[in-house]
Amino acid sequence: MRGLRLIQNETIKIYKRKVFWIMLIILIAISILWAFIALKTAEDHSHWKQDLQAQNSADSKLEEKADQDMAAITEQKNEMAMNKYRLEHNIKPLYSNTVMGFVDSSTEIASIISIFLVIIGGSIVSQEYSWGTMKMLLIRPIHRWKILLSKFLSVVLIGIAYLMINFIISFIVGLIFFGGDFGSTRFLYEHHNMVQDVSVFFHLLQVYGSHLADIIVITAFAFMISTLFKSNALAIGLSIAIYYGGNLVSVILSAFNEEIPKYIFFLNLGLYDHYVGGGSPLVHTSVTFSACILAVYFILFMLISLLVFEKRDVAE
Amino acid sequence: MSEAIIQVRHLTKRIKQKNLVEDLNFDIHRGEILGFLGPNGAGKTTTMRMMLGLTSITEGDVTIGGHSIKTEKEQALERVGGIVENPEMYKFLTGLDNLKHFQRMYRDIPDSRIADVVEMVKLTDAIKNKVKTYSLGMRQRLGIAQALLHSPDVLILDEPTNGLDPSGIRELRDYLKVLASNENIAIFISSHLLSEIEMICDRVLIIQKGKLTDSQVVNETQETQQVVAFEVDQKQKAIEVLGKTFAHLTFTEADEVLLVETDRETIPKLNATLTQHNIKVYGIKGVQKSLEDRFLELTGGNPS
């Protein structure tokens, strides 16, 4: 009971500040811009069946020329299989100038939400020190670990709220801009050279779930740095660098050893990439492996934060 | 005196072989206002931080209501209200939201209690404004309100007069006196300026370089014994005459006057003896031999 009230306290301290609302406005603005981009780059898809057929026949001609490498050939084969499946089952591709297509493409915006959450999570502990309110917080009859945990949980709650808001806004903006064309309700992807056919809502749930897992782990990292060094600048800077510079680190490390990158937490972010999207930058890994690595790091970050916070003398 | 609500035993804080606070032993009783005096850097804040569980204890222990701050922190802090240095609040929240925030950190504080403490510290009109619009005095009062929110048995106040104007200091003093006597709260209050707290404290602890120098300074002397200055025409003769009649008292000669430490009832008798011997008395004046003087005697230096 008191635990819930602690989380309530911490969420209030997030949403009663201007920063929270500025982030929300940025999120809405980007969603609307995104819709304009979708409008501008929109292709006419009224004859999508003919388009796919034309593409397949072009691909089959290319295939006859045997001077391409194996990966390219496999990719082409998969694309042809997917197109064939679409034609057979009458499943239209998810064009971004349809409502559901726009909602799907708007999940890209979620990487900005990760940054917002790193900013919030990376300052939620250190700002109490800079405001001088940490001592006011810690003279209450509540164990320190409970206070720290309530702070982390409230950041996760805010993360879920932002993701939900992003979904709702993209849906509304999609309806306003492309209301006439709802788009496909099925989503196809290729996994182990097989065409997978799922509901588009299930697909979106997995995209958002994957983003939430990213947010939780990267925020836990920012949270730990913020707790250790009482500096939000360091926590935010380092977390964002890792979030965006991860691939560079992967390239450098791979040059020395193929195995090491697999065990680095930020290279395992983006669980759904194992199925859809650019694919995981790691070779020979599975989604289960990545999930386990993320879980281990998450527990490590939280334990370090809790232990340091529990022992620290509050004196300034 | 009533039961000791706080017991401090062998309290020591050591950082890098250096004792910031060394072997402090004292009790605080219900209804008592205990002053904690010492120059800046003497260890007052460190002591209070240890008592509130903000800083770890190297050796010794503090028990509040029988609960050790080391092993039963939650129970120990249940009955304590505190202000450490400046009572910083969340500036982007209203005064009321700040109090509600702290209300949620205790068991069962009714909303009516918030209204009561706000009334008590006279912030009713401003309580719905954001704290960033508050003056320093208002913030200090809000600090007192949050410390009293859960009707604690003990208040630990670290330099609560910091930044207050003279009328604010006076108001705070009056208020603390009422709290101690009416609500039977123990108050432990630190300051580096003796003059600010001597009027309200029942006892004063003096700390210097991490050690207590004298725990027996009791402020009661003011009421029973006082220093009286007699302005007379023949100081030597007066000392001679009074010395015979009042052998138990010591008389000293100061610039223009004759000083004697005595109780109230003896003053007219001294005066009568002087007039009997035809010594002219131009004036009799009570001189405060204040704690300040004793504080200076004890610490041998400037208190601030």
Side-chain angles (χ1 to χ4, degrees):
Chain A
M1 183 58 203
R2 218 167 9 164
L4 282 179
R5 287 187 290 175
L6 289 182
I7 295 172
Q8 189 187 351
N9 271 352
E10 297 304 329
T11 41
I12 286 172
K13 284 186 274 181
I14 297 173
Y15 76 70
K16 287 262 177 153
R17 293 178 60 213
K18 278 198 197 96
V19 170
F20 175 86
W21 298 100
I22 291 169
M23 287 175 178
L24 199 61
I25 289 166
I26 291 174
L27 208 58
I28 295 171
I30 288 176
S31 196
I32 292 169
L33 273 177
W34 211 251
F36 277 112
I37 293 167
L39 267 185
K40 212 166 172 178
T41 59
E43 42 194 325
D44 174 30
H45 50 79
S46 45
H47 306 293
W48 63 275
K49 283 188 180 172
Q50 287 92 317
D51 292 346
L52 291 187
Q53 269 162 351
Q55 199 185 352
N56 265 9
S57 55
D59 280 354
S60 56
K61 273 177 202 151
L62 274 173
E63 206 183 344
E64 287 159 15
K65 297 176 189 167
D67 59 347
Q68 293 187 55
D69 61 82
M70 275 305 290
I73 291 172
T74 320
E75 202 181 304
Q76 250 166 38
K77 273 192 176 164
N78 287 333
E79 197 183 298
M80 285 168 69
M82 180 100 69
N83 287 344
K84 215 173 145 208
Y85 189 95
R86 285 191 189 283
L87 291 167
E88 277 166 15
H89 295 83
N90 193 26
I91 299 170
K92 202 173 165 183
L94 216 46
Y95 292 106
S96 63
N97 57 345
T98 62
V99 178
M100 286 327 286
F102 180 70
V103 171
D104 181 49
S105 77
S106 293
T107 57
E108 307 264 340
I109 300 173
S111 65
I112 289 160
I113 298 180
S114 298
I115 293 178
F116 290 167
L117 265 292
V118 159
I119 291 170
I120 294 172
S123 49
I124 194 163
V125 175
S126 47
Q127 71 195 5
E128 297 270 0
Y129 287 107
S130 55
W131 292 338
T133 45
M134 190 54 100
K135 60 199 179 204
M136 301 297 265
L137 210 54
L138 296 186
I139 58 171
R140 312 295 151 183
I142 292 167
H143 279 298
R144 288 187 181 187
W145 67 266
K146 289 183 188 168
I147 289 174
L148 199 69
L149 207 59
S150 67
K151 280 188 174 295
F152 184 76
L153 290 175
S154 69
V155 177
V156 172
L157 275 182
I158 294 288
I160 293 172
Y162 271 145
L163 289 175
M164 280 168 65
I165 289 169
N166 187 49
F167 174 79
I168 293 166
I169 288 171
S170 64
F171 195 79
I172 293 171
V173 171
L175 276 178
I176 293 169
F177 278 75
F178 319 108
D181 191 350
F182 193 76
S184 178
T185 56
R186 304 300 298 173
F187 179 79
L188 302 189
Y189 63 96
E190 167 276 317
H191 189 58
H192 293 314
N193 299 329
M194 293 282 286
V195 174
Q196 313 285 325
D197 177 2
V198 294
S199 150
V200 73
F201 296 102
F202 182 68
H203 158 71
L204 286 172
L205 197 66
Q206 284 187 307
V207 178
Y208 276 107
S210 168
H211 276 298
L212 183 60
D214 282 8
I215 284 173
I216 289 174
V217 179
I218 194 80
T219 307
F221 177 77
F223 194 73
M224 176 185 72
I225 301 292
S226 168
T227 309
L228 285 180
F229 301 101
K230 300 182 207 166
S231 153
N232 45 6
L234 187 68
I236 295 165
L238 208 55
S239 307
I240 291 178
I242 277 173
Y243 191 70
Y244 279 107
N247 283 327
L248 182 67
V249 176
S250 162
V251 170
I252 295 168
L253 282 174
S254 307
F256 298 99
N257 189 321
E258 284 247 324
E259 288 296 303
I260 295 174
K262 279 164 78 171
Y263 301 99
I264 294 178
F265 84 94
F266 49 83
L267 299 181
N268 284 287
L269 292 171
L271 289 177
Y272 200 40
D273 289 349
H274 283 282
Y275 298 105
V276 176
S280 172
L282 306 172
V283 286
H284 308 307
T285 56
S286 66
V287 67
T288 323
F289 178 84
S290 288
C292 287
I293 294 286
L294 289 184
V296 168
Y297 273 98
F298 170 72
I299 292 167
L300 193 73
F301 295 156
M302 291 311 285
L303 276 181
I304 292 172
S305 307
L306 288 169
L307 286 175
V308 169
F309 192 64
E310 194 72 32
K311 297 273 173 243
R312 168 169 291 151
D313 284 356
V314 181
E316 70 260 16
Chain B
M1 207 168 268
S2 62
E3 57 173 309
I5 183 84
I6 291 191
Q7 295 183 315
V8 176
R9 293 290 175 268
H10 307 295
L11 190 65
T12 301
K13 177 73 181 179
R14 194 177 303 126
I15 293 179
K16 291 174 191 156
Q17 317 293 326
K18 197 171 169 258
N19 285 336
L20 298 181
V21 171
E22 194 176 331
D23 197 30
L24 300 194
N25 292 283
F26 59 90
D27 288 351
I28 306 174
H29 303 271
R30 277 179 186 276
E32 173 187 45
I33 303 183
L34 179 61
F36 195 36
L37 201 62
N40 286 331
K44 298 187 301 286
T45 299
T46 307
T47 304
M48 289 184 151
R49 282 179 190 280
M50 283 193 281
M51 294 171 76
L52 287 165
L54 289 173
T55 297
S56 64
I57 294 171
T58 313
E59 273 165 41
D61 201 358
V62 175
T63 59
I64 304 172
H67 299 286
S68 159
I69 193 79
K70 279 161 92 175
T71 55
E72 302 166 287
K73 202 176 186 175
E74 278 189 311
Q75 292 94 320
L77 289 176
E78 198 84 54
R79 310 301 315 145
V80 185
I83 294 180
V84 184
E85 290 168 331
N86 299 318
E88 303 289 351
M89 294 287 182
Y90 299 104
K91 293 191 177 74
F92 53 92
L93 297 179
T94 65
L96 187 63
D97 282 340
N98 268 285
L99 292 179
K100 281 184 171 169
H101 172 273
F102 293 117
Q103 176 199 23
R104 290 188 201 100
M105 300 185 86
Y106 294 95
R107 276 177 236 282
D108 314 318
I109 298 177
D111 289 346
S112 60
R113 176 66 188 169
I114 294 186
D116 288 349
V117 289
V118 170
E119 180 80 46
M120 250 189 257
V121 297
K122 302 192 186 84
L123 274 177
T124 312
D125 293 336
I127 202 66
K128 289 199 170 136
N129 298 342
K130 288 199 171 155
V131 172
K132 63 178 146 204
T133 66
Y134 284 21
S135 68
L136 205 54
M138 288 161 84
R139 284 179 201 182
Q140 209 79 16
R141 265 141 62 199
L142 188 62
I144 301 279
Q146 67 73 32
L148 290 171
L149 199 57
H150 53 299
S151 320
D153 296 330
V154 192
L155 277 183
I156 296 180
L157 309 174
D158 185 15
E159 307 260 359
T161 52
N162 257 2
L164 287 183
D165 55 20
S167 74
I169 293 171
R170 194 199 170 87
E171 204 175 291
L172 178 71
R173 273 200 298 246
D174 294 346
Y175 185 56
L176 293 179
K177 256 184 180 167
V178 171
L179 274 178
S181 56
N182 292 7
E183 318 230 345
N184 206 26
I185 293 179
I187 300 175
F188 188 42
I189 180 171
S190 80
S191 180
H192 63 279
L193 289 174
L194 181 102
S195 54
E196 289 187 345
I197 56 168
E198 66 175 332
M199 279 112 108
I200 55 165
C201 291
D202 301 302
R203 283 193 299 149
V204 175
L205 299 175
I206 296 171
I207 186 170
Q208 206 191 14
K209 290 177 185 160
K211 292 182 201 170
L212 290 185
T213 49
D214 185 351
S215 60
Q216 296 307 310
V217 179
V218 178
N219 214 7
E220 284 161 6
T221 46
Q222 275 191 21
E223 287 140 36
T224 52
Q225 295 278 312
Q226 58 179 315
V227 177
V228 186
F230 285 87
E231 196 183 340
V232 293
D233 60 346
Q234 308 162 68
K235 276 184 281 185
Q236 283 305 326
K237 194 185 172 191
I239 290 174
E240 218 172 280
V241 167
L242 292 173
K244 276 178 204 159
T245 329
F246 303 92
H248 62 290
L249 296 175
T250 44
F251 300 92
T252 45
E253 204 179 322
D255 307 331
E256 300 293 319
V257 291
L258 185 65
L259 292 172
V260 59
E261 190 173 347
T262 181
D263 60 79
R264 196 177 160 79
E265 287 307 309
T266 316
I267 298 170
K269 289 179 196 161
L270 289 167
N271 187 36
T273 313
L274 288 172
T275 29
Q276 269 170 29
H277 290 82
N278 293 322
I279 297 167
K280 289 176 181 166
V281 179
Y282 300 110
I284 305 171
K285 202 163 69 178
V287 181
Q288 291 250 323
K289 179 171 165 95
S290 67
L291 270 169
E292 183 94 43
D293 300 321
R294 248 169 292 169
F295 177 59
L296 288 173
E297 279 165 30
L298 285 164
T299 58
N302 195 327
S304 56

